[in-house]
């Protein structure tokens, strides 16, 4: 079941980096797989129902505050909730710290490249897809940081290094 989890993380990373969004169908598929793994006793991280549900609630609830202030997209919030179902409550703090450090580095690099455009292609990659509205569409808020992707990367790192203690 760990391979299913890793494939799900990979899909989130690719989709969020390319589109700057985590689609509902992908988040729901991950949450359903997590609940299925719990129900059939195939949870790869030895997380019980209590820890998984607390992790899902904490992941969703904490990041919901950032969404409420317009600092984060809804897909990132929903992904954090689904991620909490997989890893449980105890793993969320190190994963959040790792993801936030990566997102902070992304922001600093983007701001530096925006101010001093030595590598314009890298600055465009960090910005994400073009945010120009199509005809008749409203202007959407610029989403620069693929936070769900950074959560997924931090989770993969946690799987390798964080669980060995």
């Amino acid at each position: 079941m760990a391979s299913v989890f890793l494939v799900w993380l990979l899909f989130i990373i690719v989709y969020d980096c390319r589109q700057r969004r985590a689609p509902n169908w992908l988040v729901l598929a991950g949450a359903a797989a997590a609940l299925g793994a719990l129900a059939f006793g195939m949870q790869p991280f030895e997380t019980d129902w209590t820890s998984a549900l607390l992790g899902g609630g904490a992941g969703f609830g904490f990041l919901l505050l950032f969404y409420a202030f317009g600092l984060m997209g809804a897909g990132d919030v929903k992904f954090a909730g689904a991620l909490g179902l997989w890893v449980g409550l105890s793993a969320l703090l190190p994963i959040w710290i790792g993801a936030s450090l990566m997102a902070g580095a992304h922001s600093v690099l983007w701001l530096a490249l925006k101010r001093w455009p030595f590598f314009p292609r890298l600055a465009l990659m960090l910005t994400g897809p073009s945010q120009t509205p199509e005809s008749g569409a409203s202007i959407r808020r610029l989403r620069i940081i693929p936070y769900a992707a950074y959560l997924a990367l931090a989770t993969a790192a946690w799987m390798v290094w964080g669980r060995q203690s």
Side-chain angles (χ1 to χ4, degrees):
M1 204 54 159
S3 59
V4 170
F5 180 65
L6 284 172
V7 168
W8 179 62
L9 291 179
L10 181 63
F11 274 108
I12 287 289
I13 291 166
V14 170
Y15 207 101
D16 198 24
C17 284
R18 293 187 69 162
Q19 301 295 320
R20 292 303 192 266
R21 56 188 296 275
N24 287 336
W25 65 268
L26 190 52
V27 172
L28 288 173
L35 293 173
L38 281 164
F40 292 108
M42 298 172 55
Q43 219 287 341
F45 309 116
E46 301 171 7
T47 302
D48 62 0
W49 278 98
T50 303
S51 180
L53 294 175
L54 286 173
F60 183 83
F62 182 71
L63 293 186
L64 187 61
L65 295 172
F66 291 93
Y67 173 75
F69 288 109
L71 301 173
M72 185 170 289
D76 300 327
V77 176
K78 292 178 273 188
F79 173 71
L83 182 63
L85 289 173
W86 277 103
V87 300
L89 183 61
S90 64
L92 283 181
L93 184 60
I95 290 170
W96 276 335
I97 291 170
S100 296
L101 290 173
M102 287 186 273
H106 181 121
S107 297
V108 168
L109 183 59
W110 179 77
L111 287 171
L113 290 172
K114 186 177 171 190
R115 186 175 180 123
W116 301 291
F118 295 119
F119 303 103
R121 291 183 66 115
L122 180 59
L124 285 174
M125 278 179 31
L126 290 173
T127 302
S130 174
Q131 298 292 323
T132 57
E134 298 173 11
S135 62
S138 63
I139 297 176
R140 290 182 18 171
R141 180 170 217 181
L142 183 63
R143 300 275 185 217
I144 296 169
I145 299 172
Y147 195 69
Y150 289 135
L151 282 170
L153 284 169
T155 303
W158 167 82
M159 287 177 69
V160 174
W161 293 294
R163 297 180 338 136
Q164 294 178 359
S165 53

